[in-house]
């Protein structure tokens, strides 16, 4: 059974850093997509980045420079390092997985974690 689980959220002050982890279990190969998303209260879900089976990462432009995504294929783990955090980064952060790892539109993400809360205070 495929399962996705996030960890690493917490409360930090403005300018602080956090590193989130997402473990995808139950996959039998590296050929699946993984992605980070977030959703703030009252807001629509926002895409952060997508990871492909070949090592490529496609980050959303607005997060480049502060957010870094990486993936450890041996550990089936996707990471999100966030630096210089701001209060408007406060949200529930979700990890998702699915698809074949080569083509990763949003609709292939059918396995979602429960989310990990990130709160940034001023």
């Amino acid at each position: 059974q495929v399962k996705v689980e996030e960890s690493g959220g917490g409360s930090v002050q403005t300018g602080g850093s956090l590193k989130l982890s997402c473990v995808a279990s139950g996959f039998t190969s590296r050929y699946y997509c993984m992605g980070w998303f977030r959703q703030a209260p009252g807001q629509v879900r926002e895409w952060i980045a997508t990871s492909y089976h070949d090592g490529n990462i496609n980050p959303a432009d607005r997060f480049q420079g502060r957010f870094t995504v990486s993936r450890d294929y041996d550990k089936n783990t996707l990471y999100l390092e966030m630096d210089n955090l701001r209060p408007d980064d406060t949200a529930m952060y979700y990890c998702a997985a699915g698809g074949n790892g080569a083509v990763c539109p949003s609709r292939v993400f059918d396995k979602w974690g429960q989310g990990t809360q990130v709160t940034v205070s001023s």
Side-chain angles (χ1 to χ4, degrees):
Q1 181 179 357
V2 173
K3 182 180 177 182
V4 174
E5 186 170 6
E6 310 93 339
S7 62
S11 297
V12 297
Q13 293 188 325
T14 297
S17 298
L18 279 175
K19 184 176 182 177
L20 308 184
S21 299
C22 169
V23 178
S25 56
F27 286 96
T28 57
S29 76
R30 62 187 286 160
Y31 293 96
Y32 58 96
C33 313
M34 293 188 77
W36 282 108
F37 301 80
R38 73 181 188 183
Q39 189 167 19
Q43 303 295 317
V44 299
R45 186 174 65 199
E46 191 172 22
W47 168 68
I48 298 172
T50 297
S51 167
Y52 298 80
H53 75 86
D54 61 358
N56 284 326
I57 304 285
N58 180 28
D61 289 343
R62 66 169 296 184
F63 298 110
Q64 293 200 59
R66 295 194 305 124
F67 290 10
T68 303
V69 176
S70 60
R71 183 170 171 180
D72 185 329
Y73 293 86
D74 291 333
K75 296 182 179 179
N76 289 340
T77 302
L78 187 70
Y79 301 98
L80 174 60
E81 296 185 72
M82 303 182 291
D83 297 314
N84 193 22
L85 284 162
R86 310 185 301 226
D88 62 357
D89 292 317
T90 295
M92 186 71 79
Y93 284 71
Y94 296 94
C95 177
N100 62 12
V103 180
C104 302
S106 297
R107 65 178 181 275
V108 306
F109 291 110
D110 58 357
K111 301 294 185 294
W112 291 80
Q114 294 298 308
T116 186
Q117 177 68 39
V118 171
T119 302
V120 185
S121 58
S122 57

